[in-house]
Amino acid sequence: MAVAGVFGAVVLSAWTVFIAVNPFLYRAPLRKLGLMYDHRVTQLANIGEERKGIESLAEYIQVVPTRIFETYATLSFVGSLYLNLVLCVVGGYYLFSKAIAFLRHQSTDPTQVVLLSVAMTTAIPSLFTPADWDRYYILPVLFSTVAIAVGLGYVMEWIYCTVSRRYSFGVRANS
């Protein structure tokens, strides 16, 4: 129940800030938000051939992951799509499991809950535009890079633990 309350507070805060920074919305915010939406749909429908949009689900499935996990990714080379995707899934799983542990009161660190909440509310909506423009990939790439770094750290820790158990060595502090 507390999570729903926090989520409601975040949504209300975001709505209030969005209206506060858009004077156009001061009078009749719902009606004018509809006008803004209609204008955006018209604008996207009129994108020129040089800025072609994504036109089908099949194209979306091919283009968006390539842009996020290869074209604009930190680890960017031919074939990096699969490496980045796997590391992102591992990192996302780690973050999600830690967030669940916090929500079940098994942890006192809310970092993962905050990170995932911010990622979901900022990065995911930008993936629903039909435009294939660089700027729409900034936040998904940012948060996928964080998940990739977490995943890489998790894999490296797993390798270290596995090797150290097998060969019975440990890291000793320098004296």
Side-chain angles (χ1 to χ4, degrees), residues 1 3 15 19 24 35 48 60 65 74 83 104 128 145 168 171:
M1 191 65 175
V3 173
W15 175 254
I19 291 174
F24 174 74
L35 291 172
Y60 179 89
T74 302
L83 174 65
R104 290 182 177 168
F128 288 102
T145 301
S168 300
V171 176

Side-chain angles (χ1 to χ4, degrees), residues 124-140:
I124 291 175
S126 66
L127 297 176
F128 288 102
T129 180
D132 186 22
W133 300 348
D134 297 352
R135 66 181 175 192
Y136 291 114
Y137 297 108
I138 292 172
L139 292 172

Side-chain angles (χ1 to χ4, degrees), residues 43-77:
Q43 185 182 30
L44 289 173
N46 294 328
I47 55 178
E49 194 59 37
E50 71 279 353
R51 295 186 90 171
K52 185 179 171 191
I54 299 171
E55 297 175 358
S56 69
L57 181 60
E59 185 179 3
Y60 179 89
I61 291 170
Q62 180 182 2
V63 169
V64 172
T66 302
R67 297 280 191 267
I68 294 171
F69 296 110
E70 189 172 304
T71 307
Y72 304 123
T74 302
L75 301 174
S76 182
F77 52 88

